[in-house]
Amino acid sequence: MSDQSFLVHGPRVAVRRVSFQDRKEIAALDQESAALHRPWIPARETTPDAFREYVAKFDRPAHKGFVVCLRAGGAIVGGVNINNIVRGGIQSGALGYVAYASTTGHGYMTEGLRLVVAYAFTALGLHRLEANIQPGNTASIRLVERLGFRREGYSPRFQYIDGAWRDHERWAITAEAAGHAAADGSA
Ligand SMILES: CC(C)(COP(=O)(O)OP(=O)(O)OC[C@H]1O[C@@H](n2cnc3c(N)ncnc32)[C@H](O)[C@@H]1OP(=O)(O)O)[C@@H](O)C(=O)NCCC(=O)NCCS
């Protein structure tokens, strides 16, 4: 993947939109990471049809899908989605993110998620991002704490994952808290 397709980059990683061409690489990463991902996120199908439908979702204005890649070589080391984007006077979106078994624990997601947050508050004009995280998901809570998210509340039985309705903590950050100018809420 050429450098031109990257939207933003930091010292070690760069962020670009996910595309259908990423299917095989992501399928292999998902497969090696089943134990890391369960029960924190819903299982994702990576058959050609399912993945085509998955990436087609990101053609809609309410959803954005990104991959976090190593600047050296371009390998995918993580993924970040912004879902359920609401415009007008709310300007908010809900984050989903993953690392993989072979890429976790190196700080790539801290750098990559920070880049996506900055991109959301500048290029996308959002004002607030939330992350709904199960209380036992300490790696995810540590990640958003490092980026300055605050715990806003607790949502019992928030999302159906891996066969059960799971309680989630609601963590969020505003543009101002992340050091960006606030959008004007009129988009
Ligand atoms: C949540 C998740 C994305 C966090 O990924 P991660 O690999 O911990 O995040 P990073 O890549 O930023 O790595 C951070 C860790 O690497 C360590 N690290 C090692 N070298 C580092 C370096 N050079 N720079 C920064 N951090 C480094 C950090 O200390 C940190 O470990 P700690 O949290 O134990 O202190 C990952 O655990 C995951 O995919 N979980 C399953 C899916 C999931 O839960 N998604 C979120 C649902 S809400």
Side-chain angles (χ1 to χ4, degrees):
M1 194 59 61
S2 78
D3 237 21
Q4 280 82 38
S5 63
F6 290 123
L7 303 164
V8 279
H9 66 79
R12 294 190 298 165
V13 304
V15 172
R16 61 172 172 78
R17 305 250 184 225
V18 65
S19 81
F20 184 75
Q21 283 67 41
D22 298 319
R23 183 182 75 85
K24 286 188 179 154
E25 190 174 356
I26 288 177
L29 289 165
D30 275 358
Q31 196 175 4
E32 70 168 37
S33 309
L36 174 71
H37 291 171
R38 199 164 297 124
W40 310 126
I41 54 169
R44 164 170 58 185
E45 277 191 55
T46 48
T47 61
D49 282 351
F51 200 77
R52 194 171 288 108
E53 200 176 311
Y54 171 75
V55 293
K57 180 170 97 164
F58 303 121
D59 292 335
R60 305 206 296 265
H63 302 275
K64 309 281 177 201
F66 307 95
V67 282
V68 177
C69 304
L70 288 183
R71 287 187 70 184
I76 294 173
V77 293
V80 182
N81 297 342
I82 309 176
N83 290 308
N84 305 329
I85 295 171
V86 179
R87 292 296 189 175
I90 299 290
Q91 300 290 0
S92 188
L95 289 168
Y97 44 84
V98 287
Y100 298 103
S102 56
T103 68
T104 188
H106 295 278
Y108 297 142
M109 285 305 294
T110 302
E111 188 177 322
L113 188 57
R114 184 177 280 124
L115 289 168
V116 172
V117 167
Y119 182 77
F121 290 146
T122 53
L124 299 181
L126 294 180
H127 176 249
R128 177 181 171 279
L129 288 167
E130 69 177 44
N132 292 286
I133 308 174
Q134 294 177 58
N137 193 350
T138 50
S140 183
I141 290 172
R142 276 202 300 271
L143 173 60
V144 296
E145 278 183 321
R146 276 196 291 275
L147 298 191
F149 284 59
R150 285 173 293 214
R151 187 182 182 279
E152 289 186 339
Y154 191 83
S155 308
R157 297 170 66 73
F158 174 78
Q159 191 177 2
Y160 194 82
I161 302 175
D162 197 26
W165 287 101
R166 310 274 178 183
D167 297 353
H168 282 67
E169 296 180 5
R170 191 176 63 255
W171 289 75
I173 191 167
T174 59
E176 298 90 328
H180 299 278
D184 68 7
S186 60

